[in-house]
Amino acid sequence: MTVTLSRTSPSDAGERIVAAADALYYARGFQAVGMDEVRTAAGVSLKRLYQEFASKEALVLAVLRSRHALWDAGVEAAVEAADSPRDKVLAIYDYLSSWFADDSFRGCGFINAFGELGTVFPAVAEFAREHKDSFQRYVAGLVAAAGAPAVLAPQLAILAEGAQTTAAISGNADAARHARAAAETLIDASLAR
């Protein structure tokens, strides 16, 4: 899963800034957190923060790049641990289940960013779209490897997206289990045809 927006590797200070911003944005929201608060949490001067990230938009994009890499690594590790092609597809929902059970879970950072900043920062909206498209392509590859029809991939991706939103709003990790059960039904019906 690769998103095309890229940036050179950040310095150590840049990595601290991204980590601090990510924690603050994810816990409290993108608009609620100012650059001064990020600077304080990262332990850098305001000058250094702006040397690393010229604007809030640039910082938000760096946070989203970091989240994209974490998402990819988590999903891919779960998929790689599964044995059969069918189980590899279902492993997506197992990953979601473990993520939703984490006390820090606050929904999808990309959906949150799109909702808060998508109209203000078009690059943020575009990055969120690219992330979601990347996931759909990844699911499509798993579906193809399982020998299921291509039309199944967007259905399974929507189940995963819906589970994320449902879990965030309800505060209940059961959404992943329900999405997995629905995915099993869809996969089995598709493979039986």
Side-chain angles (χ1 to χ4, degrees), residues 106-131:
R106 301 285 181 272
C108 173
F110 296 91
I111 293 171
N112 298 346
F114 184 88
E116 285 191 55
L117 301 174
T119 59
V120 179
F121 298 140
V124 169
E126 181 59 26
F127 194 89
R129 285 184 193 104
E130 288 183 24
H131 168 76

Side-chain angles (χ1 to χ4, degrees), residues 60-132:
V60 169
L61 288 169
V63 166
L64 293 179
R65 281 185 202 93
S66 175
R67 282 210 162 256
H68 177 75
L70 288 172
W71 168 262
D72 278 359
V75 171
E76 289 171 2
V79 168
E80 289 303 313
D83 295 324
S84 71
R86 178 182 180 276
D87 288 342
K88 288 182 182 299
V89 175
L90 293 172
I92 293 168
Y93 305 95
D94 297 335
Y95 171 74
L96 292 177
S97 183
S98 65
W99 180 35
F100 297 170
D102 187 299
D103 288 340
S104 68
F105 177 72
R106 301 285 181 272
C108 173
F110 296 91
I111 293 171
N112 298 346
F114 184 88
E116 285 191 55
L117 301 174
T119 59
V120 179
F121 298 140
V124 169
E126 181 59 26
F127 194 89
R129 285 184 193 104
E130 288 183 24
H131 168 76
K132 296 301 182 181

Side-chain angles (χ1 to χ4, degrees), residues 86 148-149 152 182-193:
R86 178 182 180 276
L152 180 62
E184 285 183 277
T185 299
L186 287 170
I187 292 165
D188 293 345
S190 294
L191 292 175
R193 288 183 203 159

